[in-house]
């Protein structure tokens, strides 16, 4: 028995010695990089080609591109980093990426690798403010895979079918949105078979918080100490959502299928959806006939009639970052590859992805993109999405409050009180 | 003066013991690495204020994570959601698996087909099962159509995802559908081990099918019933993917925020891995207590024929 135990221990020691050597790298030897990104069929052929070109231009460097579903990449990254096994290069939504910067998990941009003489010169390449979320304490921790905002897409055919003129009747205010949706909606009993518009219930901080801010409310006060500021604004917003849901005018609900994915198919089930420029490439991929028909348009994000702030949906970003635990050479080539991707911004734009460099935003290509002017105008009246260590938790509480008034029969006053108390607890806990 | 004694030969018993240990060793190693170590690690982590991404050395906070949880309304809601789900699913799984297995054992033609049909959902992943039911419970899905046809209530949305009670029932239905076939097969295997001679003797004595089921099959199935009840109860206490997918698809969190989902949200969304570990240890204790009670109340797991 002792011999068996000794044999097992020896096997374990040999195995650990074998597997422990994985990260060691020769100073001039080959460099292997792993790049994790979310699934996007439109982007895959472009990036695979860019990887081949980069590898050809940098002998000895190999890049393995790994895609994960967009719904799962955040948790996969988190668990990989928790086990100190994160990829060399990755992109993630701004709300999630903040934690990586705050916990020193990502390396600052290597200026030499990206060919910048100084940080100021690098910042100057991009539209003002677009790198603010990753520019922290004088260091830049990411470059954009995309920075985008959402406006309202309209199906003209459904508008006309409901007796509306899309040129004239498109909703400018949220009150218009209710009126127009009421005219478009079809129901069998109380089951909706055609919606006018419906919200993106998975993205409260991007799409619904600006509605509160239009009315003068805030998620967190400017000094960061008080949660859910502006009782009247919040109550008015919650009353609006209560009326939107099945217990009110029954115009939509989180339990119906995601409006954005239905829109592309032009199946007479959704007239308006809230999404970004990338949707155009997706419509083209899913339903080229609808794309070519010209029976769709993009209009600005509405405001309340009594709005005190003219605010559009928040802009947010997917930033490319580099693992701080990678070797120096891996970090260098990671940034070099990210910069290589930035140099092909026009090709990204052709699949609806905006890397907001000044050069791109002023290019004829960008200005000729359908409805680029609408997105650009909405971007000007937008602010960056709330991002902090507690943003996911606050979004969950926000979601619970809205859905409790829409679906759970909870009064807006009670939902507000609960939200205020719970959000304050999160803020106080730090 | 050294004297050499002849090596004592192994007895047959010792030799069998050695081989027995050898055969058990891989399983012990497997469980030690993948079960016991994570449990001990979670217990240790639960005593620290550890954030999942932080490089900083976490502060030792003793039982504060446990104290926080025991004072947290959200955690007690998760305990409630877990117990409601477990009671609703486990009892119906147990009762109906016994009933269906009893009926299937009496069918001579088509029994194999029915067993396969019942078992099929068990081979699907939980995610696929939940996705299928998401379509069924959609406001325009067949659940509403079926109920409305049955009750002659056209156009009524029964709000399977949004009503606080019905969303709990919906998660139970998904789980029941997925696991009933598996437990029917386990019960059928238990029934097959009962000697036929006992039924023959009962038939000669004039016992009918109903009497044979309750006087012979059911008592002799006791070990299987204990096994099925413990397995199904533990499965129910660990439920996660159905609730996760439902909440991702718009269902409200609070009614179905089972402990495992709360652990996930606390650890992965909020990055509080110390607190999530404390929750997982409490869940482990709940599972051990229920298993112990079931063993005690069933008194014996042996049956002699």
């Amino acid at each position: 028995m002792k011999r068996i135990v000794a044999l097992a221990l020896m096997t374990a020691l040999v195995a650990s010695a074998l597997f422990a050597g994985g990260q060691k790298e020769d100073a001039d030897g080959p460099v292997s990089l792993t790049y994790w990104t979310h699934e996007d069929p439109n982007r895959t052929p472009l990036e695979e080609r860019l990887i081949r070109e980069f590898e050809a231009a940098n002998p000895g460097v190999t890049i393995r591109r790994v895609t994960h579903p967009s719904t799962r990449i955040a948790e996969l990254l988190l668990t990989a980093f928790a086990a100190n096994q994160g990829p060399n290069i990755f992109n993630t939504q701004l709300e999630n990426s903040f934690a990586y910067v705050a916990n020193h998990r990502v390396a600052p941009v290597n200026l030499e690798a990206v060919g910048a003489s100084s940080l100021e010169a690098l910042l100057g390449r991009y539209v003002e403010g677009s790198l603010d979320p990753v520019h922290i304490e004088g260091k830049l921790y990411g470059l954009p895979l995309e920075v985008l905002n959402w406006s309202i897409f309209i199906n003209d055919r459904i508008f006309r079918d409901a007796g509306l003129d899309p040129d004239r009747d498109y909703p400018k205010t949220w009150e218009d949105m209710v009126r127009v949706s009421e005219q478009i909606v079809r129901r069998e009993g109380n089951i909706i078979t055609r919606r006018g518009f419906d919200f993106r219930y998975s993205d409260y901080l991007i799409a619904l918080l600006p509605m509160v801010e239009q009315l003068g409310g805030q998620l967190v006060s400017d000094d960061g100490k008080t949660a859910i500021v502006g009782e009247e604004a919040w109550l008015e917003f919650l009353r609006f959502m209560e009326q939107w849901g099945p217990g009110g005018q029954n115009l939509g609900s989180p339990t119906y299928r995601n409006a954005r994915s239905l829109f592309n198919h032009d199946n007479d089930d959704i007239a308006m959806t809230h999404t970004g420029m990338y949707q155009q490439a997706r419509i083209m991929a899913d339903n080229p006939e609808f794309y070519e028909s010209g029976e769709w348009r993009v209009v600005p994000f509405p405001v309340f009639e009594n709005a005190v702030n003219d605010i559009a949906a928040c802009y947010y970003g997917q930033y490319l970052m580099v693992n701080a635990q990678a070797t120096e050479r891996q970090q260098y080539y990671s940034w070099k590859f990210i910069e290589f991707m930035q140099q092909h911004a026009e090709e990204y734009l052709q699949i609806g992805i905006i890397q907001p460099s000044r050069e791109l935003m002023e290019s004829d290509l960008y200005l000729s993109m359908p409805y680029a002017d609408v997105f650009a105008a909405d971007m000007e009246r937008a602010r960056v999405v709330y991002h902090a260590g507690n943003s996911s938790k606050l979004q969950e509480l926000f979601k619970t409050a809205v859905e409790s008034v829409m679906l759970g029969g909870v009064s807006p006053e009670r939902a507000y009180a609960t939200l205020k108390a719970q959000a304050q607890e999160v803020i106080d806990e730090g | 003066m050294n004297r050499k004694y002849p090596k004592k030969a192994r007895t047959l018993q010792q030799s069998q013991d050695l081989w027995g240990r050898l055969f058990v060793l891989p399983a012990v190693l497997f469980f030690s690495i993948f079960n016991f170590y994570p449990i001990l690690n979670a217990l240790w982590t639960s005593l620290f204020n550890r954030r999942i991404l932080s490089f900083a050395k976490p502060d030792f906070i003793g039982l504060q994570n446990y104290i926080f949880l025991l004072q947290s309304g959200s955690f007690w809601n998760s305990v409630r959601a877990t117990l409601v789900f477990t009671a609703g699913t486990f009892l119906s799984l147990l009762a109906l698996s016994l009933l269906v297995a009893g009926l299937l054992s009496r069918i001579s033609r088509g029994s194999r087909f029915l067993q396969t049909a019942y078992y099929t959902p068990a081979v699907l992943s939980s995610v696929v099962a939940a996705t299928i039911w998401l379509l069924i419970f959609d406001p325009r899905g067949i659940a509403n159509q079926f109920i409305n046809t049955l009750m002659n209530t056209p156009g009524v949305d029964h709000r399977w995802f949004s009503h606080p009670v019905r969303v709990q029932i919906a998660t139970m239905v998904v789980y029941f559908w997925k696991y009933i076939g598996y437990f029917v097969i386990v019960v059928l295997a238990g029934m097959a081990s009962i000697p036929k001679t006992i039924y023959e003797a009962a038939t000669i004595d004039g016992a009918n099918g109903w009497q044979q089921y309750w006087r012979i099959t059911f008592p002799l199935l006791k070990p299987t019933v204990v096994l099925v009840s413990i397995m199904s109860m533990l499965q129910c206490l660990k439920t996660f993917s159905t609730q996760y997918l439902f909440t991702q698809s718009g269902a409200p969190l609070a009614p179905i925020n089972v402990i495992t989902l709360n652990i996930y949200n606390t650890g992965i969304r909020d990055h509080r891995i110390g607190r999530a570990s404390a929750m997982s240890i409490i869940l482990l204790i709940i599972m051990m207590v229920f298993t112990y009670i079931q063993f005690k109340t069933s008194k014996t797991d042996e049956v002699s024929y």
Side-chain angles (χ1 to χ4, degrees):
Chain A
M1 194 66 197
K2 281 178 188 167
R3 261 180 285 172
I4 293 165
V5 174
L7 192 67
L9 281 172
M10 274 173 63
T11 311
L13 281 172
V14 170
S16 59
L18 275 175
F19 292 114
Q23 288 293 311
K24 206 165 181 188
E25 218 172 54
D26 196 322
D28 301 312
V31 178
S32 298
L33 303 176
T34 309
Y35 165 37
W36 281 18
T37 188
H38 62 282
E39 284 171 359
D40 180 353
N42 292 329
R43 192 158 48 92
T44 299
L46 169 63
E47 290 192 344
E48 284 179 349
R49 199 200 83 219
L50 292 181
I51 288 171
R52 283 196 300 274
E53 288 176 9
F54 185 80
E55 286 174 343
N58 295 275
V61 179
T62 50
I63 301 175
R64 192 164 64 94
R65 182 176 184 270
V66 182
T67 60
H68 297 289
S70 54
T71 49
R72 292 208 60 216
I73 191 165
E75 69 188 63
L76 291 171
L77 272 171
L78 192 69
T79 43
F81 271 93
N84 296 322
Q85 298 290 323
N88 306 112
I89 309 166
F90 67 98
N91 70 272
T92 187
Q93 283 214 44
L94 167 64
E95 305 94 290
N96 300 325
S97 60
F98 182 77
Y100 292 87
V101 177
N103 288 295
H104 313 290
R105 290 286 188 164
V106 285
V109 173
N110 182 319
L111 293 174
E112 186 196 335
V114 300
S117 55
S118 66
L119 185 57
E120 288 65 35
L122 180 59
L123 292 171
R125 290 181 193 172
Y126 293 89
V127 171
E128 197 175 337
S130 60
L131 296 182
D132 284 357
V134 284
H135 183 204
I136 297 163
E137 292 172 1
K139 287 181 180 169
L140 188 65
Y141 290 93
L143 288 176
L145 174 65
E146 59 179 333
V147 170
L148 68 156
N149 63 328
W150 299 342
S151 297
I152 307 291
F153 278 62
I154 287 181
N155 183 320
D156 288 358
R157 204 155 26 212
I158 297 180
F159 260 60
R160 283 197 299 275
D161 183 56
L164 295 160
D165 177 357
D167 288 328
R168 194 189 59 221
D169 298 326
Y170 74 86
K172 289 102 186 160
T173 65
W174 289 111
E175 289 79 2
D176 285 346
M177 187 63 95
V178 171
R179 280 191 290 272
V180 169
S181 293
E182 187 58 65
Q183 201 163 333
I184 293 170
V185 74
R186 276 195 198 136
R187 304 182 190 92
E188 280 172 16
N190 55 15
I191 299 173
I192 302 173
T193 55
R194 181 170 85 178
R195 280 173 288 175
F197 171 78
D198 214 352
F199 295 91
R200 284 183 75 156
Y201 297 101
S202 54
D203 297 283
Y204 279 82
L205 297 183
I206 296 171
L208 283 96
L209 181 59
M211 294 170 69
V212 181
E213 292 173 338
Q214 288 176 359
L215 296 165
Q218 280 181 292
L219 183 71
V220 179
S221 62
D222 293 336
D223 63 6
K225 289 181 180 166
T226 311
I228 315 299
V229 180
E231 183 173 354
E232 271 316 305
W234 279 94
L235 285 175
E236 191 175 340
F237 165 76
L238 289 169
R239 284 186 201 116
F240 179 88
M241 295 309 294
E242 182 188 34
Q243 284 307 303
W244 186 269
Q249 289 176 256
N250 194 19
L251 297 170
S253 160
T255 57
Y256 284 91
R257 277 189 66 195
N258 178 336
R260 179 174 60 86
S261 56
L262 291 176
F263 185 86
N264 298 0
H265 301 288
D266 185 28
N267 280 337
D268 196 29
D269 43 17
I270 187 85
M272 290 175 278
T273 188
H274 191 198
T275 185
M277 190 180 256
Y278 60 84
Q279 193 74 17
Q280 297 180 17
R282 293 187 185 180
I283 297 172
M284 195 162 15
D286 289 347
N287 191 349
E289 198 183 320
F290 180 45
Y291 182 84
E292 299 296 344
S293 73
E295 292 279 16
W296 57 274
R297 70 180 63 211
V298 183
V299 299
F301 188 74
V303 287
F304 282 103
E305 281 172 3
N306 61 342
V308 293
N309 296 310
D310 182 18
I311 290 176
C314 293
Y315 68 87
Y316 66 100
Q318 293 273 354
Y319 287 90
L320 288 155
M321 297 181 145
V322 172
N323 189 342
Q325 288 178 294
T327 63
E328 264 184 48
R329 290 186 72 221
Q330 282 176 324
Q331 289 186 24
Y332 176 84
Y333 282 106
S334 295
W335 284 119
K336 196 169 179 181
F337 175 62
I338 290 172
E339 172 54 23
F340 185 67
M341 293 163 92
Q342 307 289 306
Q343 287 166 10
H344 293 77
E346 288 204 351
E347 287 177 74
Y348 277 96
L349 182 63
Q350 281 164 348
I351 51 170
I353 291 172
I354 302 166
Q355 296 177 341
S357 65
R358 285 182 196 279
E359 192 183 340
L360 181 77
M361 302 305 272
E362 288 160 9
S363 69
D364 291 341
L365 180 67
Y366 178 78
L367 296 172
S368 67
M369 291 290 285
Y371 303 105
D373 54 334
V374 178
F375 287 105
D378 265 1
M379 180 75 99
E380 273 184 24
R381 56 194 193 101
R383 60 156 188 79
V384 66
V385 66
Y386 175 79
H387 54 282
N390 55 20
S391 54
S392 301
K393 179 74 178 172
L394 290 176
Q395 171 154 274
E396 178 59 42
L397 296 175
F398 189 1
K399 176 179 187 283
T400 302
V402 172
E403 293 180 9
S404 69
V405 296
M406 287 181 80
L407 308 170
V410 174
S411 72
E413 288 75 15
R414 200 174 136 211
Y416 165 79
T418 309
L419 172 63
K420 171 99 179 152
Q422 291 180 340
Q424 191 60 52
E425 208 174 289
V426 172
I427 296 286
D428 292 343
E429 209 178 355
Chain B
M1 195 168 94
N2 284 337
R3 276 187 64 181
K4 284 193 176 171
Y5 293 96
K7 226 178 181 178
K8 216 168 137 185
R10 280 199 192 112
T11 64
L12 179 63
Q13 182 69 44
Q14 284 171 327
S15 176
Q16 283 180 339
D17 280 356
L18 177 67
W19 282 109
R21 286 197 183 103
L22 270 177
F23 284 129
V24 168
L25 187 65
V28 171
L29 278 174
F30 183 87
F31 278 101
S32 301
I33 295 167
F34 294 106
N35 285 47
F36 300 140
Y37 169 71
I39 290 170
L40 293 174
N41 192 282
L43 182 63
W44 181 246
T45 307
S46 72
L47 305 175
F48 292 85
N49 181 21
R50 188 169 169 218
R51 301 289 183 117
I52 197 165
L53 278 180
S54 177
F55 281 128
K57 199 178 169 204
D59 297 329
F60 179 81
I61 54 168
L63 296 176
Q64 273 185 39
N65 278 326
Y66 293 92
I67 293 166
F68 176 90
L69 290 173
L70 295 175
Q71 293 173 344
S72 155
S74 163
F75 178 69
W76 284 110
N77 175 59
S78 291
V79 173
R80 178 210 58 77
T82 306
L83 294 181
V84 167
F85 176 84
T86 303
T89 315
F90 148 69
L91 292 176
S92 48
L93 266 177
L94 185 63
L96 282 164
S97 59
L98 284 168
L99 185 72
V100 173
L103 292 172
L104 282 179
S105 67
R106 298 194 162 269
I107 296 171
S108 49
R109 291 185 67 187
S111 170
R112 290 275 173 204
F113 170 76
L114 286 172
Q115 284 180 35
T116 311
Y118 273 112
Y119 189 74
T120 306
V123 300
L124 296 175
S125 79
S126 301
V127 175
V128 174
T131 307
I132 292 169
W133 283 90
L134 281 173
L135 294 174
I136 292 172
F137 286 130
D138 184 271
R140 293 165 71 180
I142 57 173
N144 274 342
Q145 289 172 26
F146 177 74
I147 299 282
N148 287 338
T149 307
L150 207 67
M151 298 171 68
N152 195 26
T153 52
V156 173
D157 180 4
H158 294 279
R159 297 169 57 197
W160 297 102
F161 289 144
S162 55
H163 191 277
V165 174
R166 261 163 287 190
V167 72
Q168 293 181 72
I169 295 171
T171 55
M172 290 175 197
V173 169
V174 177
Y175 221 74
F176 177 84
W177 174 80
K178 181 161 163 49
Y179 285 105
I180 181 72
Y182 174 75
F183 290 114
V184 164
I185 299 292
V186 175
V187 175
L188 277 172
M191 284 177 167
S193 68
I194 300 171
K196 286 209 173 6
T197 50
I198 300 174
Y199 291 104
E200 286 165 6
T203 308
I204 291 166
D205 288 344
N208 61 26
W210 185 250
Q211 287 169 323
Q212 285 183 18
Y213 184 80
W214 285 110
R215 302 287 173 88
I216 299 170
T217 311
F218 192 69
L220 295 184
L221 264 182
K222 203 166 184 182
T224 311
V225 171
V226 172
L227 176 76
V228 167
S229 62
I230 290 174
M231 280 172 66
S232 57
M233 187 197 64
L234 294 181
Q235 289 273 21
C236 292
L237 287 168
K238 290 192 299 180
T239 179
F240 171 75
S241 37
T242 309
Q243 287 79 1
Y244 173 75
L245 274 173
F246 271 41
T247 51
Q248 294 291 307
S249 305
L253 176 67
I256 54 173
N257 190 14
V258 289
I259 298 177
T260 48
L261 187 56
N262 202 341
I263 292 171
Y264 171 85
N265 282 332
T266 307
I268 302 296
R269 184 195 63 194
D270 303 339
H271 297 187
R272 294 181 184 279
I273 202 71
R275 191 175 291 167
S277 299
M279 238 186 277
S280 68
I281 293 296
I282 294 176
L283 179 62
L284 176 72
I285 293 167
I286 293 172
M287 289 165 84
M288 286 171 74
V289 167
F290 276 114
T291 309
Y292 178 77
I293 292 169
Q294 267 182 312
F295 270 124
K296 280 288 167 193
T297 50
S298 57
K299 289 205 167 86
T300 175
D301 60 354
E302 279 186 19
V303 170
S304 55
Y305 300 114

